[in-house]
């Protein structure tokens, strides 16, 4: 009996898996492609490449951190938890790894869980004032204002630290929330930053301290260039109405 030839698709079934393997990128190539997309502001497209790199090279903390960064850029902090956790666990001394993990836990409302990675970051992170401030925010969220202020003060004591201005803003917000707007205003007046958020927090502190004219000056700078309806513009309008009503 004559044997029939197999259908033509049989050859493709056998060859396809081998051909597919030739198309796989190495972890380094996937990482390079993913970070290039991140640099272009396309984190959603970067994630599959970065995850491929990390899962192919599971002990590479840098790859896992990059995955977390991509999720964080999308403000998906819960999605960032696993990769940041892996990066922090694999290499606690990798720049930003444990700090980012602690911040992601904080953003996910897991304040107590955030303390340990932030403590690890405090030992190895080069920008220690931001870590102190993050610990302060966690303690405040947990209801321990005294310990929170201790951490904020520790951040401010790091005179040459590049994260000190960010810590100053966090501390000022804490003081305002604690009903101490005069102290918050004094702290912000000593800032070297001209960022709109600094002037907004200064205006808010002055407003709560009933120093309305000074608040208006700060809020005008904060609202400059912002769309109508921004928090700075709304507070500015309220301050102006109160001054007019006197």
């Amino acid at each position: 009996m004559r044997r029939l030839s197999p259908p033509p698709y049989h050859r493709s079934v056998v060859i396809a898996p081998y051909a597919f393997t030739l198309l796989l990128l190495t972890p380094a190539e996937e990482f390079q492609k993913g970070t290039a997309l991140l640099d272009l502001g396309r984190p959603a497209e970067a994630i599959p490449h970065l995850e491929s790199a990390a899962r192919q090279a599971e002990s590479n903390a840098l790859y896992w951190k990059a995955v977390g960064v991509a999720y964080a850029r999308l403000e998906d902090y819960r999605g960032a938890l696993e990769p940041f956790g892996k990066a922090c666990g694999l290499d606690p001394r990798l720049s930003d790894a444990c700090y980012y993990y602690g911040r992601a836990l904080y953003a996910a409302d897991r304040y107590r869980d955030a303390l340990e990675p932030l403590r690890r970051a405090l030992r190895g992170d080069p920008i220690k004032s931001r870590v102190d401030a993050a610990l302060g925010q966690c303690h405040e969220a947990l209801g321990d204002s005294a310990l929170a202020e201790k951490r904020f003060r520790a951040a401010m004591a790091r005179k040459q630290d590049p994260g000190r201005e960010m810590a100053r803003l966090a501390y000022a917000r804490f003081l305002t929330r604690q009903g101490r707007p005069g102290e918050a205003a004094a702290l912000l007046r000593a800032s070297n930053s001209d960022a709109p958020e600094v002037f907004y927090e200064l205006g808010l502190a002055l407003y709560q301290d009933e120093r309305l004219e000074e608040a208006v000056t700060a809020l005008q700078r904060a609202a400059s260039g912002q769309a109508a309806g921004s928090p700075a513009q709304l507070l500015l309008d309220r301050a102006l109405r109160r001054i007019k009503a006197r």
Side-chain angles (χ1 to χ4, degrees):
M1 181 183 294
R2 186 168 62 89
R3 296 182 63 184
L4 298 176
S5 299
Y9 65 78
H10 278 200
R11 180 179 297 275
S12 64
V13 169
V14 173
I15 293 174
Y18 174 72
F20 177 71
T21 60
L22 298 178
L23 299 177
L24 288 177
L25 299 179
T26 67
E29 289 169 334
E30 290 279 35
F31 178 73
Q32 185 177 18
K33 190 164 186 176
T35 52
L37 287 165
L38 268 184
D39 290 342
L40 291 171
R42 295 155 62 184
E45 296 173 57
I47 286 173
H49 298 287
L50 296 173
E51 285 185 333
S52 174
R55 298 200 185 282
Q56 289 185 70
E58 290 194 350
S59 62
N60 191 311
L62 179 61
Y63 291 179
W64 284 112
K65 186 184 84 169
V67 177
V69 168
Y71 277 105
R73 294 264 181 93
L74 294 170
E75 298 186 1
D76 182 358
Y77 300 110
R78 294 185 186 278
L81 286 176
E82 180 191 0
F84 280 149
K86 285 182 179 290
C88 178
L90 287 165
D91 186 359
R93 300 192 71 82
L94 175 64
S95 178
D96 301 326
C98 289
Y99 173 72
Y100 285 168
Y101 184 35
R103 296 303 290 167
L105 286 164
Y106 178 88
D109 299 327
R110 293 171 57 183
Y111 311 121
R112 195 168 301 281
D113 292 338
L115 294 175
E116 180 52 34
L118 289 172
R119 290 184 187 118
R120 272 190 267 172
L122 198 58
R123 293 192 289 270
D125 198 282
I127 310 177
K128 296 188 185 301
S129 60
R130 68 176 182 177
V131 185
D132 277 319
L135 282 164
Q137 289 172 322
C138 287
H139 288 303
E140 182 188 5
L142 291 167
D144 193 337
S145 298
L147 194 51
E149 184 156 13
K150 181 179 179 181
R151 293 264 50 103
F152 286 127
R153 287 183 176 275
M156 294 308 299
R158 300 184 188 278
K159 301 292 186 183
Q160 304 304 316
D161 194 278
R164 190 165 179 261
E165 287 305 307
M166 184 173 69
R168 182 192 302 276
L169 185 59
Y171 186 21
R173 286 171 174 156
F174 166 80
L175 289 170
T176 300
R177 286 192 294 266
Q178 292 291 306
R180 296 155 61 186
E183 293 175 62
L187 187 68
L188 290 167
R189 284 198 185 283
S191 174
N192 295 320
S193 173
D194 59 357
E197 56 264 32
V198 171
F199 287 104
Y200 171 73
E201 293 299 332
L202 175 58
L204 176 62
L206 291 165
Y207 180 88
Q208 292 192 8
D209 205 34
E210 298 295 330
R211 293 151 65 182
L212 298 179
E213 285 81 7
E214 294 175 71
V216 165
T217 301
L219 291 167
Q220 284 172 334
R221 292 196 63 175
S224 177
Q226 293 192 8
S230 69
Q233 187 64 58
L234 292 173
L235 187 57
L236 173 60
D237 292 344
R238 193 186 310 170
L240 289 169
R241 285 197 303 270
R242 286 188 61 189
I243 291 171
K244 188 177 181 179
R246 284 175 175 172

